[in-house]
Amino acid sequence: MTEKAAKTSAKTSDPIELDEPIKRGETTIDTITLRKPSAGELRGVALADVLQLNTDALIKLIPRLSNPSLTEPEVRQMDPADLVQLGGEIAGFLLSKRAKGEAA
């Protein structure tokens, strides 16, 4: 199995390094991984909003998909560059293999 196939089958992102780490008490979160959402985890958000990186949609969705799990207030306080980076990864999960140019 190729590295690309292994990543696809795992349905998780590579670790994403944050430009501005998140402080949680004594803990500092400097990397986050995201997993591909199931249909149920997309409830309450419009797919078009996620694909357009709508801030409100990302604030609602990132806590459902992040590891370590972030809270909505933590996502609201996130550096905008980090929010866009995480949003782009989530939007990528929503594209079909054909749209990504991968072999089906």
Side-chain angles (χ1 to χ4, degrees), residues 19 78-86:
D19 287 346
M78 186 177 277
D79 183 89
D82 292 330
L83 184 69
V84 169
Q85 186 174 5
L86 295 176

Side-chain angles (χ1 to χ4, degrees), residues 14-69:
D14 290 331
I16 300 165
E17 188 172 336
L18 301 177
D19 287 346
E20 293 291 327
I22 297 169
K23 296 278 189 188
R24 182 186 284 166
E26 298 290 319
T27 306
T28 300
I29 301 168
D30 56 1
T31 59
I32 294 173
T33 57
L34 297 169
R35 62 184 170 68
K36 185 174 184 173
S38 65
E41 290 168 319
L42 295 170
R43 71 191 181 288
V45 286
L47 293 179
D49 288 345
V50 176
L51 292 170
Q52 293 175 357
L53 304 182
N54 175 281
T55 303
D56 291 331
L58 296 178
I59 288 170
K60 186 178 271 193
L61 198 52
I62 289 171
R64 299 177 188 178
L65 308 175
S66 61
N67 184 21
S69 185

Side-chain angles (χ1 to χ4, degrees), residues 69-84:
S69 185
L70 300 178
T71 64
E72 283 192 23
E74 288 171 331
V75 177
R76 277 192 201 97
Q77 295 301 315
M78 186 177 277
D79 183 89
D82 292 330
L83 184 69
V84 169

